[in-house]
Amino acid sequence: MNASLRAISSALAVLAASLLLGGLTSWAQGVLPDALASFANSPSGWTVLTALLVAAARPSLTGGAALGVASFVTLVLGYTVASQLRGLSYDPVLWSVVGVIAGPFVGAAAAAIMGHRVVHAALGAGTLAGVLIADGIYGLTVVASDTSPVYWTLCLAAGAALIGVTATRLRTPRAAAGVVASAVAATGVLILGYGVLNGVS
């Protein structure tokens, strides 16, 4: 199989998996225990799924950015279809727009982690860690009264672990600084973004 066919095959696999997993998150909202239920209804949930699917495809940074958009939006569409099949009304516009905006960063970050460039991998890991940390902070503060703290605590732990593992794996002070700096930046931007989304939704 040549490179073009391999890329097309990987993209189709990512889209198919995204559609399926998006549908499953709708179903999971009524099945997951309270401690983990927020996974199916939080930005970090779809971000983690998008990142894992893109990472599995091992694309270039540009390809990862494109796949990030396609995966995130398809997750939203899968969720929408499954919700409608369950008799629930869901408007996919807002989160599709979020996917178009955030998808390139998530996809490129996932691709960077799987690549061989130290600085890119550090920045990519820090970006994804920031998503987890920001969501954990948001969950433990803004929606703490309505949700279990378990999932949000796991987000914080996973974000910290991703920073630590990446810094250890890359083994250079520059890489460690890049991971931490990008995680702090991503956390700050996303916390502001959550405030904006709360005002829109």
Side-chain angles (χ1 to χ4, degrees):
M1 184 182 295
N2 63 38
S4 296
L5 289 176
R6 189 179 301 111
I8 293 172
S9 177
S10 295
L12 291 175
V14 167
L15 290 175
S18 298
L19 189 65
L20 175 63
L21 290 172
L24 288 175
T25 57
S26 174
W27 173 78
Q29 286 181 318
V31 175
L32 288 174
D34 288 343
L36 301 176
S38 295
F39 172 81
N41 191 32
S42 67
S44 59
W46 278 340
T47 296
V48 167
L49 293 176
T50 296
L52 290 174
L53 291 172
V54 172
R58 293 181 173 268
S60 64
L61 289 179
T62 302
L67 279 180
V69 174
S71 177
F72 203 111
V73 172
T74 306
L75 282 164
V76 175
L77 295 178
Y79 180 92
T80 303
V81 171
S83 295
Q84 290 177 343
L85 290 174
R86 295 170 59 215
L88 304 174
S89 176
Y90 179 75
D91 185 350
V93 174
L94 175 60
W95 283 101
S96 292
V97 171
V98 171
V100 170
I101 295 170
F105 297 99
V106 174
I113 291 174
M114 302 305 293
H116 302 291
R117 296 184 178 182
V118 172
V119 174
H120 288 176
L123 296 177
T127 298
L128 295 180
V131 173
L132 293 167
I133 293 169
D135 215 20
I137 292 171
Y138 176 84
L140 291 174
T141 55
V142 179
V143 294
S145 61
D146 301 319
T147 58
S148 166
V150 174
Y151 175 73
W152 309 120
T153 303
L154 289 174
C155 282
L156 292 175
L162 182 56
I163 292 171
V165 168
T166 303
T168 301
R169 178 173 68 90
L170 298 178
R171 298 181 180 180
T172 68
R174 185 182 181 190
V179 175
V180 173
S182 57
V184 170
T187 300
V189 168
L190 288 165
I191 287 176
L192 291 175
Y194 289 161
V196 173
L197 283 175
N198 283 337
V200 173
S201 58

